[in-house]
Amino acid sequence: MTYEYKLQPTAEQMATIEQTLGVCRSVWNFALRQRKDWCNSRKSPIHACSIHAEYIIAADEPFPNYHRQAKQLSEAKKQSLQLKTVHSQVLQQGLRSLDRAWDDMKARRFGFPRLKNEYRMHSFVFPQLGKDPIQEDAIKLPSLGWVRWRQSRPIPERFEVKPAENVCELEATGSIGYDALVGAGRSRKAVSRAVSRGTAIAHLKEIEHREMT
């Protein structure tokens, strides 16, 4: 179950959002290019050279998976002023998304992940929010501070804040996820499975029925 609320950022916050999107696109494209170069370096036959220009990568160089690229990102962040302007978890979340897309390509026969331009990447995710991040008319997001939002409907008492996704379209909008806590004796893991299977509503009805009786 997800509730979406429209953000109303200031001009300064809008500039920060646009800058964050640009850095996230750069990280995605660099990481994807690195994976493509590694794969292409393994395609050339041993007795001939490719007719296309390819980077020469050592035969014992390991595949640039998420963990290696996340470590490289941490090192690059110490040197790059541009990377320092974006929250570390936001950039790491982008690498996770690329890793999922790469796995889906192989396991589920999805298409090859694409390079991102401003039309193909228009959102980024804050995996964690601070303590008490919600007020009646604003939400506190890392690097942005308090951002006004239009609370179009009240948040139920049993809902809990999940990672926030900021989506930038023609105007800045936000998507804040909430996870229904579906009863006593259920762990957070069990709750996540119930929601993913689309059975959360049934559980909520069952709880309401118990409370009424």
Side-chain angles (χ1 to χ4, degrees):
M1 299 177 66
T2 302
Y3 280 8
E4 295 184 0
Y5 297 96
K6 186 174 183 180
L7 296 181
Q8 298 175 320
T10 63
E12 182 178 356
Q13 290 169 336
M14 279 290 295
T16 302
I17 290 172
E18 291 290 345
Q19 180 185 8
T20 301
L21 284 170
V23 176
C24 288
R25 283 193 292 267
S26 298
V27 170
W28 171 288
N29 291 338
F30 181 89
L32 178 57
R33 183 72 264 171
Q34 190 179 42
R35 293 183 180 219
K36 284 186 174 182
D37 290 340
W38 188 92
C39 292
N40 291 337
S41 69
R42 268 62 182 164
K43 291 180 179 180
S44 180
I46 61 174
H47 63 282
C49 295
S50 171
I51 61 174
H52 301 287
E54 303 290 355
Y55 283 107
I56 299 176
I57 299 177
D60 59 348
E61 178 72 18
F63 177 75
N65 58 19
Y66 165 75
H67 298 288
R68 292 189 178 89
Q69 290 185 322
K71 183 177 180 180
Q72 292 174 358
L73 177 63
S74 298
E75 294 299 323
K77 208 171 189 300
K78 298 176 183 179
Q79 307 294 331
S80 173
L81 295 177
Q82 186 181 27
L83 292 177
K84 288 181 180 179
T85 61
V86 180
H87 198 282
S88 298
Q89 291 183 341
V90 173
L91 298 177
Q92 291 172 357
Q93 194 69 21
L95 292 179
R96 288 187 184 277
S97 297
L98 173 60
D99 200 54
R100 285 194 299 269
W102 192 270
D103 289 342
D104 287 341
M105 174 192 67
K106 296 184 295 183
R108 304 174 66 181
R109 298 182 182 278
F110 284 6
F112 204 96
R114 296 183 177 183
L115 297 174
K116 300 292 186 180
N117 56 26
E118 59 182 334
Y119 304 106
R120 285 182 178 163
M121 178 178 282
H122 51 80
S123 68
F124 56 89
V125 177
F126 294 111
Q128 291 182 343
L129 300 181
K131 186 178 180 180
D132 298 327
I134 293 178
Q135 294 181 352
E136 183 177 352
D137 61 346
I139 180 170
K140 191 173 185 180
L141 298 175
S143 305
L144 294 175
W146 288 101
V147 183
R148 293 182 61 85
W149 68 345
R150 185 179 302 167
Q151 191 169 342
S152 53
R153 53 182 171 177
I155 302 172
E157 294 181 358
R158 292 177 183 160
F159 278 31
E160 185 177 80
V161 179
K162 288 180 65 179
E165 179 181 3
N166 190 86
V167 183
C168 186
E169 297 177 347
L170 294 179
E171 54 184 349
T173 62
S175 174
I176 313 302
Y178 294 91
D179 195 353
L181 303 180
V182 295
R186 288 182 173 270
S187 65
R188 287 296 305 277
K189 188 174 182 181
V191 171
S192 298
R193 286 200 300 268
V195 173
S196 65
R197 292 175 182 170
T199 59
I201 294 178
H203 286 297
L204 287 176
K205 289 182 178 178
E206 180 182 353
I207 293 170
E208 291 175 355
H209 176 73
R210 291 176 184 173
E211 291 178 351
M212 292 177 64
T213 56

